[in-house]
Amino acid sequence: MRDVASTAVDRGGYPDTPTPWEREGWRSAALGWVRDGLTAHGLRVSGALRVRLRPWSVLVRVPVADHGAATGRGAVWFKANPPSSAFEGALTAALAHWAPRHVLAPLAVDAGRGWSLLPDGGALFRDVLQRQPVGPEAWEDLLRQYADMQRELVPRVRELERLGVPSARTAELPRVFEESVTGSPALRPDERARLTALRPRLEDWCGELAALGVPDSLDHVDLHDGQLFNPAPGRFTFFDWGDAAVSHPFCSLRVPARKASDRYGPDVLPRLRDAYLEPWTGAGRTAAELRRAVRLAWRLSALGRARAWGGLFPSAAATAPLTAQSARSLLELAEEPPL
């Protein structure tokens, strides 16, 4: 592996937050594992590494070429997760078997260490949005495809949980709420009191949502335009499953719908909702019932976002901006959904 002293390192807005990358022994082991993974696939490093360090992941872009080739052949990506999301590599490998049309197949996974090696998935949807006009219909396509994948995974929820994916099933969300409110160091006393007073209503929302009969599945939790590859018009590849949970599937709609609303205005929300709901129609559920389920899940999705902000490396667990973000997510439970 090339000299890490010349490696470009991006620390984003967290220049002083330590990650495992700073430890020479860890770094050497990780890069050796990457080298072995490349060799197993007939690849070699062909340029300088680019490292992205955040309190929740270490991500390394590794340019590669075939052994003996004179020109490069793209890149692969090494990712290291903290213990709370170490399931991501195993989950990605399982999804490649269960739903191969929708995800990347990893080149290597070390589930015990939370390491994965992934091929490049092509153009990020975010980059496509920046370089060419894209209408709301593209977001409708990605939401239909994502809902199709969630429906395919409904029979796999127990297997998902056995892989270590956190369980936040609809019936368990009052417990998740209690743990989140109790464990948040950033809530002010008045905010904690407001959330505690919300508990009876939250229990009613969960009960009503469960009674509507849409089964729990995989919730990405953070499905924004930077977590999607767009390799061809109308086709998307979903990745970055470190925040995922087994929960009500409709909880996934909030993040992409908000992103699209920011881009096109709030009038786009009903058509995105209805596109997402198309694969869920049938089974005796009316359109009105499904739309009601979206409103309930929109509120409750705040719990998944609050939990996700806590998925950090142990050395970064007390990062104040992130605990504040988690608290803000919890407070969104009191907001009326825009649909």
Side-chain angles (χ1 to χ4, degrees):
M1 195 63 69
R2 292 170 182 257
D3 181 8
V4 296
S6 61
T7 297
V9 177
D10 166 20
R11 296 180 180 273
Y14 309 93
D16 302 319
T17 301
T19 69
W21 181 260
E22 283 77 40
R23 303 200 304 267
E24 183 177 355
W26 185 95
R27 189 172 61 241
S28 296
L31 294 179
W33 182 80
V34 170
R35 181 190 59 240
D36 292 343
L38 294 179
T39 300
H41 289 274
L43 301 173
R44 61 178 175 84
V45 180
S46 65
L49 309 181
R50 292 213 310 261
V51 181
R52 181 180 181 273
L53 303 180
R54 297 294 186 268
W56 53 85
S57 69
V58 171
L59 188 65
V60 183
R61 183 185 185 275
V62 184
V64 296
D66 292 332
H67 276 298
T71 57
R73 205 195 74 175
V76 301
W77 297 84
F78 165 76
K79 184 173 184 180
N81 293 79
S84 60
S85 62
F87 62 83
E88 183 179 359
L91 171 60
T92 302
L95 292 177
H97 288 289
W98 298 335
R101 295 187 303 116
H102 307 296
V103 298
L104 293 174
L107 301 174
V109 168
D110 186 326
R113 291 189 284 192
W115 293 354
S116 54
L117 190 64
L118 291 164
D120 194 279
L124 277 178
F125 188 43
R126 174 175 293 168
D127 295 339
V128 174
L129 292 170
Q130 290 174 349
R131 69 173 181 246
Q132 66 190 55
V134 177
E137 63 277 0
W139 297 75
E140 294 177 82
D141 289 340
L142 78 86
L143 288 170
R144 289 189 193 96
Q145 184 186 334
Y146 178 71
D148 282 337
M149 182 183 67
Q150 287 183 299
R151 291 189 68 238
E152 291 174 24
L153 294 173
V154 165
R156 303 283 188 178
V157 292
R158 292 190 184 278
E159 293 168 270
L160 290 168
E161 290 169 339
R162 285 196 290 269
L163 290 172
V165 179
S167 180
R169 297 198 188 202
T170 306
E172 299 172 356
L173 288 177
R175 171 190 58 79
V176 175
F177 169 81
E178 191 69 34
E179 292 173 353
S180 299
V181 172
T182 302
S184 174
L187 287 170
R188 300 193 310 264
D190 62 308
E191 293 171 335
R192 197 180 303 277
R194 288 209 311 273
L195 287 169
T196 300
L198 192 65
R199 170 71 186 257
R201 292 181 66 200
L202 182 135
E203 291 179 344
D204 289 342
W205 297 333
C206 293
E208 183 182 354
L209 185 57
L212 289 170
V214 176
D216 291 322
S217 184
L218 184 64
D219 173 16
H220 186 288
V221 175
D222 194 26
L223 190 65
H224 58 71
D225 50 6
Q227 314 278 44
L228 297 159
F229 293 115
N230 185 199
R235 291 301 304 161
F236 296 89
T237 304
F238 307 105
F239 72 100
D240 202 343
W241 298 95
D243 294 332
V246 172
S247 193
H248 197 283
F250 293 6
C251 289
S252 291
L253 179 60
R254 179 177 184 152
V255 170
R258 273 184 161 180
K259 289 290 185 181
S261 178
D262 290 344
R263 191 172 188 87
Y264 306 106
D267 290 346
V268 78
L269 290 174
R271 63 183 286 186
L272 296 182
R273 173 201 60 200
D274 291 347
Y276 173 73
L277 289 176
E278 281 180 23
W280 297 99
T281 57
R285 290 184 289 268
T286 67
E289 288 171 332
L290 289 171
R291 289 172 178 174
R292 174 59 178 165
V294 165
R295 282 183 56 81
L296 294 166
W298 185 288
R299 277 191 188 271
L300 295 167
S301 67
L303 293 171
R305 297 295 305 132
R307 179 192 58 80
W309 286 113
L312 312 176
F313 289 114
S315 56
T319 302
L322 299 180
T323 58
Q325 287 276 16
S326 179
R328 282 194 288 274
S329 293
L330 285 173
L331 293 168
E332 290 176 351
L333 283 163
E335 296 177 1
E336 283 294 324
L339 285 163

